[in-house]
């Protein structure tokens, strides 16, 4: 039975939540003296390069185990691995949960294969993660894109609104599913309950990419989990804020009956390595335990320290910290206090310059810098001393490099997010393509995805027509220092287009 929000926020934790059955089983096998005549070839560390042993330690190598070990993921059911995934489902309020060892990317691929088979219509938020479009390339689903709301002042995309989603669902004809993002990179959560209502009225399940909110629902001061707001499937990148190892994530199916867990299980297996990392899966088991048992206390401490740092930074001349005042604007229903978003335009510097100053002077690294902002991401157990130093170091950098005047955000108009879709992503990506000079690509159909980071909004997707305005925008991004993620030519001198039939 799934935990309710109230049960999760009390000391009355279900009896098994303080355990980590998979982690314990892996640890027991690694250190009880078993003789290994199976992969991996380093044999628990003894055959590993000395440099690697010194770098990551013999203990990490000892628990680097393969799948199909009796007493871990083979043997009488429920195995420790099955119990671990069941505990994750209970903690998150899901009917079924899966440990993912290729990040939320694996979950998006699996869901696209399960919910958007060849030729099936789906609705997709235009600035979804690249792995959603990649999943459609694999599955052959046909998207109708829905644009998110847009913050013109800072060039920030927010969530989609229920009304926009309902319109896109109607335009798509008979869609099989809808895929949206909440929260955004900036910590702004969409009206998931309203979006779920719009989807369910149309007879469509709602998938929410909650990669940036794996801690949602585990403290009254953070947004509720999309699972508890009506979503039918939710992805959480546990590694982003909760403490599992990089590349580990979870996929959760809600007990709504709109998505068959059996069909998803088939596609999860299809997208999973046959040699999943025991280190990654053990870290997911441990992170679930810590979040379920101690998450509220850890979040309380981190949020208090974050509030102090946020206030100290906000007092600096020319600096504005963005947060809960955005709640209630179109596309923003809640805000995540584990994100510190700083508007630096009043310093006369760009976010790139301030981020560079923090790196060079203090070896401090932020999650994202744009023309106008910096984004700092906190973890559930972020040490308060880190945040005290951040406030001091940020102030010192701004005082040193600040100058009169105000920098401007690199803003893309919302209309530019609506590109003409000529062919489905699969047909465009797998079709016969050629690389042509960028200026010669205008009017042609793209065979690749290109997104500028920052701001992280896909500018071009496979199957969309390339326009003169789009080329100018991508060149502006490139000259500003943004990285063109996904571009076959990072210098943006050529672009891959479909060959004429």
């Amino acid at each position: 039975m799934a935990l309710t929000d109230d049960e999760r926020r009390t000391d009355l934790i279900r009896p098994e939540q303080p355990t980590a059955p998979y982690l314990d089983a892996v640890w027991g096998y690694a250190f009880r003296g078993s003789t290994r005549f199976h992969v991996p070839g380093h044999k628990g560390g003894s055959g590993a390069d000395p440099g690697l042993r010194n770098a990551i330690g013999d203990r990490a190598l000892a628990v680097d185990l393969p799948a199909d070990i009796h007493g871990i993921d083979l043997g009488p059911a429920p195995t420790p691995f099955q119990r671990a995934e069941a505990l994750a489902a209970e903690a998150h309020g899901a009917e079924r949960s899966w440990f993912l060892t290729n990040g939320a990317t694996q979950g998006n691929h699996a869901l696209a294969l399960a919910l958007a088979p060849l030729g099936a219509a789906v609705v997709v938020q235009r600035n979804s993660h690249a792995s959603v479009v990649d999943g459609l390339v694999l599955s052959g689903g046909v998207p109708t894109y829905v644009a998110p709301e847009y913050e013109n002042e800072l060039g920030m995309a927010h969530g989609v609104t229920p009304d926009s989603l309902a319109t896109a669902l109607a335009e798509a004809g008979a869609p099989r599913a809808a895929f949206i993002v909440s929260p955004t990179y900036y910590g702004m959560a969409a009206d998931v309950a309203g979006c779920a209502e719009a989807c369910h009225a149309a007879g469509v399940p709602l998938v929410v990419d909650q990669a940036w909110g794996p801690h949602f629902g585990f403290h009254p001061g953070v947004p509720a989990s999309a699972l508890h707001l009506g979503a039918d499937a939710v992805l959480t990148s546990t590694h982003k804020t909760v403490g599992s190892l990089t590349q580990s994530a979870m996929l959760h199916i809600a007990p709504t009956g709109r998505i068959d867990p059996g069909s998803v299980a088939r596609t999860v297996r299809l997208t999973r390595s046959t040699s999943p990392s025991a280190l990654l899966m053990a870290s997911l088991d441990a992170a679930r335990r810590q979040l379920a048992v101690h998450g509220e206390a850890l979040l309380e401490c981190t949020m208090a320290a974050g509030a102090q740092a946020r206030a100290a930074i906000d007092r600096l001349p020319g600096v504005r910290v963005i947060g809960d005042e955005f709640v209630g604007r179109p596309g923003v229903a809640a805000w995540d206090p584990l994100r510190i978003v700083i508007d630096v335009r009043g310093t006369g510097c760009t976010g790139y310059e301030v981020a560079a100053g923090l790196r060079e002077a203090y070896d401090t690294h932020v999650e994202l810098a744009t023309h106008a902002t910096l984004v700092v991401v906190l973890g559930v157990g972020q040490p308060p001393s880190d945040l005290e130093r951040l406030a001091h170091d940020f102030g010192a950098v701004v005082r040193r490099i600040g100058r009169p005047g105000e920098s401007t955000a690199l803003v893309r108009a919302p209309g530019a997010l609506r590109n003409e879709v000529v062919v489905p992503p699969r047909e465009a990506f797998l079709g016969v393509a050629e690389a042509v000079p960028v200026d010669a690509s205008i009017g042609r159909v793209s065979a690749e995805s290109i997104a500028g980071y920052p701001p992280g909004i896909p500018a071009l997707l496979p199957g969309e027509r390339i326009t003169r305005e789009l080329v100018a925008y991508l060149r502006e991004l490139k000259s500003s220092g943004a990285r063109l993620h996904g571009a076959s030519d990072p210098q943006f001198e050529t672009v891959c287009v479909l060959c004429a039939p």
Side-chain angles (χ1 to χ4, degrees):
M1 182 183 298
L3 295 177
T4 66
D5 285 345
D6 286 342
E7 287 172 327
R8 188 181 295 108
R9 293 170 187 162
T10 69
D11 292 332
L12 301 177
I13 302 299
R14 295 296 179 92
E16 279 199 282
Q17 285 297 329
T19 70
Y22 182 79
L23 172 66
D24 291 345
V26 167
W27 187 262
Y29 182 89
F31 296 106
R32 69 172 181 246
S34 301
T35 303
R36 306 184 187 195
F37 292 105
H38 55 67
V39 298
H42 61 67
K43 304 300 179 183
S46 60
D49 174 79
L52 179 64
R53 295 179 66 175
N54 288 327
I56 69 173
D58 285 340
R59 290 192 172 206
L61 289 163
V63 298
D64 181 28
L65 301 176
D68 299 336
I69 297 291
H70 280 272
I72 299 178
D73 49 9
L74 287 183
T79 65
F81 181 74
Q82 290 169 333
R83 287 165 50 208
E85 286 194 331
L87 286 171
E90 179 185 80
H92 287 271
E95 178 181 355
R96 176 82 186 270
S97 295
W98 289 267
F99 288 175
L100 306 177
T101 55
N102 194 30
T105 290
Q106 180 188 348
N108 276 323
H109 291 173
L111 288 170
L113 288 163
L115 303 177
L118 189 64
V122 289
V123 172
V124 177
Q125 185 168 326
R126 182 59 179 72
N127 62 326
S128 292
H129 192 268
S131 59
V132 176
V133 177
D134 294 343
L136 296 177
V137 168
L138 295 172
S139 73
V142 181
T144 292
Y145 294 115
V146 54
E149 295 301 307
Y150 201 77
E151 181 65 37
N152 283 297
E153 183 183 354
L154 292 169
M156 292 165 44
H158 296 319
V160 299
T161 65
D163 287 345
S164 295
L165 185 56
T167 299
L169 288 165
E171 291 175 353
R176 298 279 192 94
F179 294 75
I180 69 169
V181 178
S182 180
T184 67
Y185 220 143
Y186 299 90
M188 307 299 171
D191 180 2
V192 173
C195 288
E197 185 177 347
C199 284
H200 299 160
V204 169
L206 175 66
V207 176
V208 177
D209 185 343
Q210 192 179 289
W212 285 102
H215 56 289
F216 281 15
F218 287 88
H219 189 285
V222 302
S225 169
L227 276 177
H228 298 99
L229 295 173
D232 301 290
V234 173
L235 286 156
T236 55
S237 284
T238 315
H239 70 94
K240 291 189 187 298
T241 62
V242 174
S244 65
L245 295 179
T246 296
Q247 198 175 310
S248 59
M250 296 188 195
L251 166 58
H252 311 285
I253 301 297
T256 61
R258 295 186 182 89
I259 296 177
D260 174 23
S263 65
V264 176
R266 292 176 62 244
T267 58
V268 168
R269 285 194 298 271
L270 182 67
T271 56
R272 172 184 284 170
S273 167
T274 56
S275 302
S277 168
L279 286 165
L280 296 181
M281 294 189 294
S283 77
L284 286 168
D285 194 22
R288 180 274 315 156
R289 173 171 63 181
Q290 178 160 268
L291 188 62
V293 178
H294 302 299
E296 183 172 352
L298 291 170
L299 284 164
E300 183 75 26
C301 181
T302 297
M303 289 162 58
Q308 292 181 356
R310 192 175 286 109
I313 293 170
D314 194 54
R315 288 193 293 268
L316 296 170
V319 173
R320 179 171 68 112
V321 177
I322 298 164
D324 56 359
E325 74 275 12
F326 273 47
V327 176
R329 299 186 186 186
V332 182
W335 163 75
D336 180 14
L338 262 63
R339 217 67 50 91
I340 302 178
V341 182
I342 309 166
D343 177 0
V344 300
R345 290 174 299 160
T347 66
C349 301
T350 67
Y352 303 123
E353 292 173 305
V354 178
L358 285 168
R359 285 194 307 271
E360 293 163 4
Y362 298 105
D363 200 18
T364 293
H365 303 259
V366 300
E367 175 64 33
L368 173 70
T370 72
H371 267 70
T373 66
L374 291 183
V375 179
V376 175
V377 175
L378 310 183
V380 295
Q382 189 87 35
S385 58
D386 288 356
L387 288 156
E388 293 170 2
R389 285 198 302 271
L390 171 67
H392 170 273
D393 298 348
F394 189 91
V397 167
V398 167
R399 285 189 290 270
R400 178 170 58 83
I401 70 173
R403 52 184 178 263
E406 185 168 304
S407 63
T408 58
L410 181 62
V411 177
R412 186 183 186 197
L417 293 170
R418 298 178 176 90
N419 297 356
E420 179 190 359
V421 179
V422 183
V423 299
R426 180 181 178 86
E427 183 179 336
F429 190 87
L430 298 180
V432 179
E434 60 180 339
V436 300
V438 169
D439 288 329
S441 73
I442 295 171
R444 302 283 296 271
V445 177
S446 173
E448 62 178 311
S449 298
I450 303 178
Y453 279 84
I457 301 169
L460 186 64
L461 293 172
E464 292 184 333
R465 186 156 331 262
I466 300 171
T467 65
R468 192 175 305 278
E469 293 76 15
L470 173 68
V471 167
Y473 172 69
L474 286 171
R475 281 177 167 155
E476 185 180 3
L477 282 178
K478 182 70 175 61
S479 65
S480 73
R483 176 171 56 93
L484 299 186
H485 178 75
S488 58
D489 177 5
Q491 301 307 313
F492 198 54
E493 295 176 356
T494 64
V495 62
C496 281
V497 299
L498 277 180
C499 290

